Amino acid sequence: MHRRTFLLTAAGGLLAGATGLPKLAKAAGRPFTFTSWGGALSNAEKSAFIDPFGQLKGIEVINTSPTETAKIKAMVQAKAVEWDLVDVGGRTVWQGGNDGFLEPIDVSKIPNAAALEKGWIAPNGIATSTGATVIAWSKTAFPDAGPQSWADFWDVKRFPGPRGLYRFFYYNYEAALLASGLKPSEVFPYTTEKADMAMAKIKELKPHVTVWWGSGAQPPQLLSSGELALSSAWSGRVLAAEAEGAPVGFTYKDGIAWANWWVIPKGSPNVELAHEAINFALAEPQQAKLLALKTYGPVLSTATAGADAETKKILVMSPDNIKDMLILNEGEADKYSVAYEEKWNQLMLQ
């Protein structure tokens, strides 16, 4: 296919030119710094993207965590930007554009982006890998199988036990509407009627939610310990926990698919290098490296072609998985998150 040919050519050109590159040791007196969420995602990005990029360029790179939007804003306001490239949630991409704390993305400097679906490119960010917010459960509580839909998750009689949900309206808006019977195609665009419906549905379940988690490490830990019977969770974290033998299970059915977005803080001294790093991460050989890591999958659809049958089972973008999932509309998620922030905070206090 022409996309595959293009990517291999682009990646090959990048690698072939590596020997002629100058050694860009330390810009602004420090190494090139990449920041992500920690855990399985940071490990995947470090192994597949950032460390190989540093080796290719002959520069020192630092991988750090966790991501924090407020810290990006504070750095930019203080004109003391310590991060050059950051993995953020999709909502931050739109916030950063609206509030002016992210650099615009110059797609002409990222030729490999031509092979991406349009939804994975935004004015201030580009998606580099995929994951999902899924329904997870304790295998101790449910040794056979857990809920297979958000409607099941809300069914406290068939699936009793304490639950965990994300501490923001983000993800919960989608889950609650799916639990209410809306089809994935009906969840977006956001409307006040849908948001009110979602809030009412969450209020209904709230007495059974004992943990409102904010860290991706929490759901698998709390499910493993038995503190929770059910929880929403990030797919990569659950897959990593399963690989370590933790008694947790999950399903992609009714999952909320999303991407990991890379952004450049406004005022980074390494804007050009950051664009190069994004382009490198989107080359098919680098995207394909995610397959062996078995946590977060490629955003580049052609990179999944070489996956074996077992690996395809755990990839968000595999046809058999994505057909049963909702793809998160980040622009709409930003709208409802802003509009309902006060109402959400009030609900959390009730």
Side-chain angles (χ1 to χ4, degrees):
M1 193 168 171
H2 72 281
R3 281 185 177 181
R4 182 180 178 89
T5 303
F6 169 80
L7 279 166
L8 289 174
T9 302
L14 180 59
L15 292 170
T19 55
L21 292 168
K23 285 213 169 189
L24 305 175
K26 294 183 180 180
R30 61 167 175 76
F32 181 79
T33 303
F34 174 76
T35 303
S36 189
W37 297 91
L41 178 57
S42 285
N43 291 339
E45 291 170 322
K46 180 180 188 295
S47 176
F49 304 144
I50 301 302
D51 284 0
F53 176 70
Q55 292 163 10
L56 172 73
K57 297 291 290 184
I59 61 170
E60 184 182 359
V61 296
I62 288 180
N63 292 271
T64 186
S65 64
T67 284
E68 188 179 344
T69 301
K71 188 169 181 178
I72 299 174
K73 294 171 73 173
M75 286 179 182
V76 173
Q77 289 170 359
K79 299 187 185 304
V81 177
E82 299 173 4
W83 297 346
D84 300 305
L85 190 59
V86 188
D87 187 319
V88 299
R91 187 187 169 196
T92 298
V93 179
W94 271 260
Q95 281 182 315
N98 295 334
D99 297 347
F101 61 83
L102 296 179
E103 294 279 353
I105 297 295
D106 186 347
V107 183
S108 70
K109 296 177 180 177
I110 308 173
N112 287 338
L116 294 182
E117 299 298 329
K118 289 183 179 179
W120 298 134
I121 303 172
N124 296 87
I126 286 190
T128 58
S129 62
T130 54
T133 298
V134 297
I135 299 166
W137 58 84
S138 162
K139 287 184 177 179
T140 304
F142 304 105
D144 296 325
Q148 298 297 300
S149 68
W150 289 111
D152 285 350
F153 188 94
W154 254 257
D155 191 337
V156 297
K157 291 183 178 179
R158 285 182 59 214
F159 298 96
R163 277 127 164 95
L165 283 174
Y166 195 46
R167 66 187 182 97
F168 299 109
F169 199 17
Y170 199 55
Y171 305 138
N172 291 317
Y173 166 93
E174 293 81 14
L177 290 180
L178 292 171
S180 298
L182 266 67
K183 298 175 183 176
S185 61
E186 297 172 330
V187 171
F188 300 115
Y190 140 78
T191 65
T192 55
E193 291 78 13
K194 292 175 190 174
D196 287 341
M197 182 191 301
M199 291 283 284
K201 193 68 174 174
I202 293 162
K203 187 175 182 179
E204 172 191 314
L205 188 66
K206 191 170 182 285
H208 304 275
V209 179
T210 58
V211 174
W212 296 90
W213 58 271
S215 162
Q218 286 178 274
Q221 288 173 351
L222 298 173
L223 291 168
S224 296
S225 69
E227 185 173 335
L228 293 178
L230 305 165
S231 185
S232 61
W234 292 334
S235 57
R237 293 287 187 148
V238 180
L239 287 165
E242 273 192 326
E244 294 172 0
V248 296
F250 83 102
T251 180
Y252 276 127
K253 291 180 179 177
D254 249 10
I256 302 160
W258 41 256
N260 295 301
W261 292 80
W262 283 13
V263 300
I264 307 169
K266 191 82 170 180
S268 161
N270 293 316
V271 172
E272 297 300 315
L273 204 54
H275 278 83
E276 288 186 53
I278 295 171
N279 190 57
F280 179 79
L282 294 177
E284 187 167 309
Q286 303 313 127
Q287 286 279 302
K289 283 192 173 186
L290 293 172
L291 300 177
L293 301 175
K294 300 184 186 299
T295 50
Y296 292 94
V299 70
L300 191 66
S301 57
T302 55
T304 65
D308 58 41
E310 286 303 307
T311 301
K312 284 181 178 178
K313 288 180 182 178
I314 65 171
L315 294 177
V316 169
M317 298 303 289
S318 290
D320 286 346
N321 290 331
I322 200 67
K323 68 180 177 60
D324 295 322
M325 301 172 73
L326 165 73
I327 297 178
L328 182 64
N329 184 318
E330 298 285 5
E332 293 299 308
D334 182 53
K335 290 178 185 177
Y336 71 64
S337 295
V338 172
Y340 275 74
E341 184 174 9
E342 186 175 341
K343 286 185 179 180
W344 178 260
N345 291 337
Q346 289 173 353
L347 177 62
M348 290 298 98
L349 293 172
Q350 292 174 4

